Amino acid sequence: MAMEIFVKTPGEIAKMRAVNVIVAKVLDACEAGCKAGATTWDLNEIADARMKELGATSAFLGYHGYPASLCTSVNEVVVHGIPRKDVVLKEGDIIGIDFGCFLDGYCGDSARTIAIGKISPAAQKLMDATRESLELAIAQCVPGNRLQDIGWAVQSHVEPLGYSVVRSFVGHGIGKAMHEDPQVPNYGSPGRGLRLKEGWVLAIEPMVNAGTPEVEVLADRWTAVTKDRRLSAHFEHSIAITENGPFVLSRL
Ligand code: CO
């Protein structure tokens, strides 16, 4: 199928704001549960309970067979870690929590990486650089800029710090479906690619590794880990491109 990028009306963007506010509230609840001694399954239960309270339905559960509502990606896990009762968080871990849901026909999607207690300076720097790279990417979400300006913003921030950008997973358009066109890589060349249009909504999600960019998927067919088993961090927001610039739908 040819690429088709849906332009959202102001009414649709209002609905996408509503669902992404729920995503942010669910992630806040999960973040509050990110403590040494908690299991990643506990976090999934928090996500499910808060999601139901807020009247939304999971975008992840059952997606290509994914078995939970939350992705919980600890340390060397890049993305798509499956919550488990036997994965217990401990001081010094970092955990990516990624959540998506539907409300009123529209999808929201966001992720953040959280420190468990006191973490190493190296882990803190990786998390900070990844969060900053997402903010720089968001700042590119202005009509008339180019799609690869987004990836370049990520890449040009983290590579000089010695980190690498994961290439085998990318961000995406989002709307009535969780994954819409276009794909949004976290690397690129400035001034290249499609012109960003008012009314597009993009989920931008840099995944940044301390070492090699290569990832491998474990036998559970979901858990993506760094090939060298060094740390990885992940942050994601859903952003509407408006005439007034970026509207970060998933930020309260
Ligand atoms: Co996403």
Side-chain angles (χ1 to χ4, degrees), residues 66 76-82 166 168-169 214-227 229:
Y66 187 75
E76 74 277 8
V77 181
V78 178
V79 286
H80 301 165
I82 300 173
V166 171
S168 51
F169 297 99
E214 287 179 280
V215 306
E216 54 189 51
V217 176
L218 299 184
D220 64 16
R221 314 240 334 222
W222 282 102
T223 309
V225 299
T226 55
K227 198 160 188 185
R229 302 301 192 268

Side-chain angles (χ1 to χ4, degrees), residues 98 109 172 178-179 203 205 236:
D98 187 348
D109 188 10
H172 48 95
M178 177 163 63
H179 292 144
E205 47 181 319
E236 176 178 24

Side-chain angles (χ1 to χ4, degrees), residues 8 16 57-64 66 68-69 71 80 98-102 105-110 170-182 201-203 205 222 236 238:
K8 278 76 178 181
M16 294 196 70
T57 55
S58 179
F60 293 4
L61 183 66
Y63 182 84
H64 292 277
Y66 187 75
S69 299
C71 296
H80 301 165
D98 187 348
F99 178 77
C101 64
F102 281 92
Y106 289 85
C107 189
D109 188 10
S110 179
V170 296
H172 48 95
I174 184 167
K176 288 181 178 168
M178 177 163 63
H179 292 144
E180 295 185 350
D181 290 331
V201 181
L202 303 178
E205 47 181 319
W222 282 102
E236 176 178 24
S238 295

Side-chain angles (χ1 to χ4, degrees), residues 3-9 13 140-150 173-174 181-182 184 193-202 239-247:
M3 176 158 71
E4 185 174 18
I5 303 177
F6 299 110
V7 170
K8 278 76 178 181
T9 65
I13 288 173
Q140 293 301 316
C141 290
V142 170
N145 275 1
R146 302 284 188 157
L147 193 58
Q148 291 188 39
D149 292 337
I150 292 171
I174 184 167
D181 290 331
V184 185
L194 299 173
R195 264 185 209 289
L196 304 181
K197 283 201 169 56
E198 189 183 331
W200 287 9
V201 181
L202 303 178
I239 299 117
I241 295 167
T242 81
E243 60 180 344
N244 302 316
F247 178 10

Side-chain angles (χ1 to χ4, degrees), residues 122 124-133 136 154-164 208-211 230:
Q124 187 66 55
K125 282 183 186 145
L126 175 67
M127 279 177 53
D128 289 347
T130 309
R131 189 190 308 102
E132 290 157 7
S133 77
L136 292 166
V154 172
Q155 181 179 19
S156 64
H157 184 61
V158 303
E159 285 184 349
L161 298 170
Y163 303 135
S164 65
V208 176
N209 294 354
R230 293 183 66 188

Side-chain angles (χ1 to χ4, degrees), residues 34 40 43 72-78 87-97 112-128 130-131 208-210 226 230-235:
C34 286
T40 56
L43 300 178
T72 50
S73 303
V74 179
N75 296 335
E76 74 277 8
V77 181
V78 178
V87 175
V88 182
L89 298 176
K90 59 182 192 307
E91 173 112 8
D93 285 343
I94 63 172
I95 177 174
I97 52 175
R112 47 181 94 150
T113 299
I114 309 296
I116 306 301
K118 191 171 160 48
I119 62 172
S120 70
Q124 187 66 55
K125 282 183 186 145
L126 175 67
M127 279 177 53
D128 289 347
T130 309
R131 189 190 308 102
V208 176
N209 294 354
T226 55
R230 293 183 66 188
L231 292 177
S232 184
H234 177 216
F235 288 83

